[in-house]
Amino acid sequence: MSEEQVLIQSPLMYRLVRSAEGALFLDVVVGGIAQFTVRVVLTAQEADAYGRLGRPYADRLAMDVMASPAFGGRAIRVP
Amino acid sequence: MSWTIRSLLLGVFLLSGCKHTGGGSVTPTPTQPQACDAQQAQISREADARASPWSVEQHLAKNFPGKKVSWLMTDSAYQNFVVKPNARNFGRCNDSGCYLFAAPSETIQAAVEKSMVDGAHDPAVIGQALGLPAKNFEGPLRMMTLDLAATGVCVRLPVDSDPGVWKCTSEADTDCFKFGGYTSGGVPELMVIDAPVSQAVVTEIP
């Protein structure tokens, strides 16, 4: 695998991406009148849960990020 | 739409207008709430009841006299979540609609103009003007502007259950959602439903 692969491009304004190295990460648009993107790399447990539950799990995880953009210190701002 | 329905809507328009003009200088702008579908209208009624004696109509009249709203996105967010997916509407979309926070255009445009130095914006100046952290405005931005009167979109007070709401955890929080029609930084805000991309003016902010 040599390039990023967008697995989900959601109208909820997030996308789930598999990196060239195989890791899964979420890019999520956060904010209200000023919107920007944060990135959260999924843990092994979260990646496993996505594998089992699919898009509804990704939706829920993305909504959790929107509701708490620092996401416990795991989110980094995308330039 | 039949004349009967139009007449009913006009009646609602006039009644709601009279209700809010008696006690002060605020002139209602009652066009938007009537543009909401049944679900959004119900949410709007509940929000107005919670905000009482404030309401979305008073909010529009006092804080959105130009009937235009604006909001900011980083350019990367705009490219990845509006341009690339060829979005029809701005905001976070689910089965019931697309939900967008927006502020008075005058407020956003003044913040941007004030921040421009040597052809580029200063994130700290925009942040201070809008009561938000400067880091939210780093990098190239896009400013979107939508004419509410021309588009006739549904607007209401934002509520806790809206997609993208980021609840405050303390009174000191300045980058989160507080119910009532104002951001935690004190800027008036509205929830716009199904804001059409095709009717927005998009401005690059270097």
Side-chain angles (χ1 to χ4, degrees), chain B residues 36-194:
Chain B
C36 299
D37 65 18
Q39 181 180 2
Q40 297 302 330
Q42 177 63 25
I43 295 170
S44 188
R45 282 192 293 272
E46 292 170 0
D48 284 358
R50 182 180 171 191
S52 180
W54 199 238
S55 70
V56 67
E57 290 184 9
Q58 290 172 301
H59 194 48
L60 282 163
K62 178 182 179 186
N63 294 314
F64 297 82
K67 300 185 182 66
K68 289 184 179 180
V69 294
S70 292
W71 63 100
L72 295 165
M73 298 179 78
T74 57
D75 185 63
S76 63
Y78 174 76
Q79 297 298 336
N80 287 326
F81 295 95
V82 178
V83 176
K84 288 181 185 173
N86 197 23
R88 289 182 58 197
N89 294 315
F90 284 101
R92 300 175 176 96
C93 305
N94 60 24
D95 292 342
S96 61
C98 296
Y99 298 77
L100 171 76
F101 288 92
S105 286
E106 298 90 338
T107 303
I108 299 287
Q109 289 173 4
V112 169
E113 286 171 17
K114 186 179 174 185
S115 78
M116 296 303 288
V117 179
D118 295 331
H121 76 278
D122 181 343
V125 175
I126 297 185
Q128 186 175 36
L130 299 180
L132 292 166
K135 64 179 173 56
N136 293 11
F137 304 97
E138 290 174 355
L141 303 175
R142 296 279 176 150
M143 177 175 66
M144 275 60 67
T145 298
L146 190 70
D147 187 330
L148 296 176
T151 55
V153 293
C154 167
V155 297
R156 58 169 170 74
L157 295 176
V159 298
D160 301 80
S161 59
D162 284 329
V165 159
W166 166 1
K167 290 181 185 172
C168 297
T169 54
S170 75
E171 284 298 314
D173 279 355
T174 59
D175 190 12
C176 50
F177 175 74
K178 290 179 179 175
F179 177 77
Y182 295 86
T183 69
S184 50
V187 174
E189 65 177 351
L190 280 171
M191 178 54 63
V192 183
I193 310 299
D194 294 339

Side-chain angles (χ1 to χ4, degrees), chain A residues 1-9 15-27 39 41 78, chain B residues 80 84:
Chain A
M1 191 179 298
S2 60
E3 291 184 354
E4 288 185 353
Q5 180 185 10
V6 178
L7 304 177
I8 297 174
Q9 175 83 45
R15 58 182 190 168
L16 179 67
V17 180
R18 189 184 304 280
S19 73
E21 294 75 29
L24 293 179
F25 63 84
L26 277 174
D27 278 352
R39 178 167 297 175
V41 178
V78 177
Chain B
N80 287 326
K84 288 181 185 173

